[in-house]
Amino acid sequence: MAFRENLLNWYDREKRDLPWRRLAEGEVDLDRRAYAVWVSEVMLQQTQVATVIDYYTRWMQKWPTLQDLAGASLEEVNQLWAGLGYYSRGRRLQQGARKVVEELGGHVPHTAETLQRLLPGVGRYTAGAIASIAFGQATGVVDGNVIRVLCRVRAIGADSSSTLVSQHLWGLAQQLVDPARPGDFNQAAMELGALVCTPQHPHCSQCPVRSLCRAYQKVERGKLLASQSLPGSPDVEECASSTELCQLCAHPTEPWDQTLGVTNFPRKASRKPPREECSAICVLEQPRALGGPQILLVQRPSSGLLAGLWEFPSVTAEASGRCQREALLQELQSWAGPLPASHLQHLGQACFSPLTFLQVVHTFSHIKLTYQVYGLALEGQTPVTIVPPGARWLTREEFHTAAISTAMKKVFRVYEGQQPGICKGSKRSQVSTPSSRKKPSPGQQLLDSFFRPLIPTDSSNLNSMAQ
């Protein structure tokens, strides 16, 4: 088959040198090979290769075998995974390792069907990748890169996330997979999508299968017709009779856009925007604690979003208000005992008039969470040393190596940036002030300038206003 041959020849020449590929190719022990592939496939879900390389290297150095991972604590797993996102992946990976060690005699199942059925967190794609790459099973795989490649090669214009199209793509992948080199073929298809058949700016001139690609043929035919001023001919993907619509083709209400070229494919239904939530969060610090300044962290529940990770005490809150502050103080006192209420400060940029409060905005897979950031420093008080289970005091150095999310690192950067008499703006779009998120219209600016009182512009007056 020309598609297989062209794709594999290209892969042999152009494939990237990646640590998980080196481990899998050089490992003779099948279980260790499967483990190396398993870890990489889980880490690569929703995460770019460049980000994964360092995490993967450190993971395999710390836990080179399934037995090593099975013996680790969840705290250690979360700590190494911190910053990679989608934290449940690491937890389920360890659960799978423990099942292999404790229930399956230390041996990883060899087929996609048994991998998916027996191991927690292993879905259809991951099972197929492990089975084909580690064990040589001739089974196809479909991920985001493969969806894009196949939808363009076959000019599939229907919603690629629909059940019908998904089933068709899995069947197509199974037909195409090379029985002699299934692992290489699957990796080649994904590599093609990552390097050449990219989402926005594909490099069609470098594509090894462009002569077989219906989307590319459609683009070239359109260019030819335009140059010769000839009437159009039936589209390549118009495969149904005129009396019925092909369920794999684009709907008539979604016509071909010549300016998009092959990026007309694949087509996806518009995603629902993430749910918006607001939280009040506080960095509680003991500047004069024995051994250096310490900050309080509390542990999240063992299930749900960011399960088992550590964070600053927080409460669900409205966008502003006195009730938010009182609820947050009550939450802090439940962990650290009586606290001076007057020391709880809503962090803001005092060099603006009126005071502008800082926010940290972090988007998870389905939630856009806005943190109202507070700070409370226990100056001149007897250090608190005893806290209830689920809380602990950490030095700043310990904080940066703890199992915390990227959102908490953003919050702590805001806290650290608040120095008396200094206004620090953030270059990161995720850290913002309410006023920075929407610029008034020109008409509103004109009205504002007309009614605004005269404000001194010299630095001495400006500083006095900020105090």
Side-chain angles (χ1 to χ4, degrees):
M1 183 185 290
F3 186 90
R4 292 174 184 163
E5 183 179 357
N6 293 354
L7 183 58
L8 284 170
N9 287 340
W10 170 84
Y11 180 69
D12 290 338
R13 295 191 312 269
E14 305 293 339
K15 66 179 177 181
R16 290 170 290 182
D17 179 24
L18 299 173
W20 44 90
R21 288 179 180 163
R22 291 197 301 270
L23 275 178
E25 291 170 0
E27 182 57 67
V28 294
D29 184 284
L30 291 180
D31 292 309
R32 295 189 68 154
R33 184 193 303 172
Y35 172 60
V37 175
W38 186 2
V39 173
S40 70
E41 292 300 337
V42 172
M43 286 189 171
L44 287 165
Q45 294 167 13
Q46 307 293 326
T47 309
Q48 294 182 348
V49 167
T51 301
V52 168
I53 289 174
D54 180 58
Y55 280 91
Y56 182 84
T57 301
R58 288 189 287 116
W59 182 286
M60 297 305 291
Q61 287 173 348
K62 190 174 182 67
W63 302 302
T65 68
L66 282 161
Q67 289 73 16
D68 294 321
L69 177 58
S73 67
L74 179 59
E75 175 75 11
E76 290 177 301
V77 171
N78 283 337
Q79 188 171 341
L80 197 150
W81 201 275
L84 196 55
Y86 299 90
Y87 294 89
S88 61
R89 294 181 297 169
R91 186 174 68 253
R92 288 198 296 265
L93 182 54
Q94 188 195 34
Q95 291 171 351
R98 286 181 172 171
K99 182 161 187 178
V100 170
V101 172
E102 297 170 3
E103 301 179 25
L104 302 178
H107 299 297
V108 180
H110 285 202
T111 67
E113 186 275 328
T114 52
L115 282 160
Q116 187 176 355
R117 176 165 51 86
L118 296 177
L119 300 184
V122 173
R124 187 176 183 181
Y125 163 76
T126 305
I130 297 171
S132 62
I133 299 171
F135 300 117
Q137 182 187 5
T139 183
V141 299
V142 174
D143 74 340
N145 286 318
V146 175
I147 289 172
R148 188 163 56 255
V149 169
L150 294 183
C151 281
R152 290 173 181 172
V153 167
R154 292 300 179 93
I156 297 173
D159 176 10
S160 61
S161 63
S162 69
T163 301
L164 178 78
V165 173
S166 178
Q167 290 175 345
H168 181 78
L169 292 174
W170 276 98
L172 190 56
Q174 187 61 42
Q175 293 173 28
L176 292 172
V177 66
D178 191 292
R181 299 176 60 188
D184 285 341
F185 178 88
N186 287 333
Q187 291 182 90
M190 293 184 279
E191 193 86 332
L192 184 67
L195 300 182
V196 175
C197 196
T198 56
Q200 300 299 328
H201 304 288
H203 309 287
C204 293
S205 62
Q206 302 172 24
C207 180
V209 294
R210 68 178 180 275
S211 63
L212 305 171
C213 178
R214 293 181 180 178
Y216 179 76
Q217 293 168 13
K218 182 175 176 66
V219 171
E220 293 302 302
R221 188 175 66 255
K223 291 178 180 178
L224 179 63
L225 293 175
S227 67
Q228 298 177 350
S229 300
L230 296 176
S233 58
D235 289 340
V236 172
E237 75 277 12
E238 289 177 355
C239 54
S241 68
S242 58
T243 59
E244 62 176 325
L245 292 176
C246 171
Q247 292 181 309
L248 297 177
C249 292
H251 194 274
T253 59
E254 299 175 343
W256 170 270
D257 185 343
Q258 190 66 38
T259 63
L260 294 178
V262 299
T263 62
N264 277 278
F265 306 104
R267 303 196 184 196
K268 297 181 180 180
S270 57
R271 294 181 59 182
K272 286 180 59 177
R275 182 175 77 250
E276 296 197 15
E277 295 183 1
C278 185
S279 178
I281 193 164
C282 180
V283 180
L284 178 60
E285 183 174 24
Q286 298 187 101
R288 304 186 186 280
L290 186 64
Q294 293 186 336
I295 51 180
L296 181 69
L297 291 181
V298 298
Q299 192 170 30
R300 291 186 61 85
S302 58
S303 61
L305 182 68
L306 306 177
L309 268 65
W310 294 84
E311 65 179 8
F312 301 114
S314 65
V315 293
T316 302
E318 299 297 331
S320 61
R322 179 176 162 186
C323 294
Q324 168 182 290
R325 189 175 185 278
E326 293 175 349
L328 182 58
L329 181 62
Q330 186 176 357
E331 174 70 9
L332 292 167
Q333 291 176 336
S334 71
W335 294 107
L339 298 171
S342 61
H343 288 197
L344 181 60
Q345 300 295 322
H346 195 169
L347 301 185
Q349 293 179 322
C351 54
F352 290 105
S353 182
L355 177 66
T356 304
F357 295 118
L358 291 175
Q359 300 175 340
V360 170
V361 181
H362 190 80
T363 302
F364 300 93
S365 57
H366 59 290
I367 299 173
K368 181 180 180 181
L369 189 51
T370 299
Y371 294 96
Q372 302 283 344
V373 186
Y374 288 74
L376 198 163
L378 299 178
E379 299 279 5
Q381 291 187 230
T382 304
V384 180
T385 56
I386 301 176
V387 291
R392 62 183 182 181
W393 292 97
L394 296 181
T395 65
R396 292 187 176 214
E397 292 73 20
E398 291 170 334
F399 169 81
H400 289 294
T401 59
I404 57 172
S405 67
T406 301
M408 292 304 102
K409 294 178 181 179
K410 293 179 184 178
V411 169
F412 193 60
R413 281 199 297 268
V414 169
Y415 175 78
E416 286 187 305
Q418 296 301 291
Q419 300 295 332
I422 298 177
C423 173
K424 291 190 176 182
S426 171
K427 295 182 180 179
R428 297 178 65 89
S429 61
Q430 293 88 347
V431 180
S432 62
T433 65
S435 61
S436 69
R437 284 176 288 152
K438 186 176 181 181
K439 185 178 180 180
S441 65
Q444 185 62 47
Q445 293 181 51
L446 181 62
L447 288 171
D448 289 346
S449 64
F450 181 81
F451 290 107
R452 186 182 299 123
L454 181 64
I455 297 177
T457 57
D458 65 281
S459 59
S460 59
N461 286 333
L462 187 61
N463 288 336
S464 65
M465 290 174 64
Q467 294 173 352

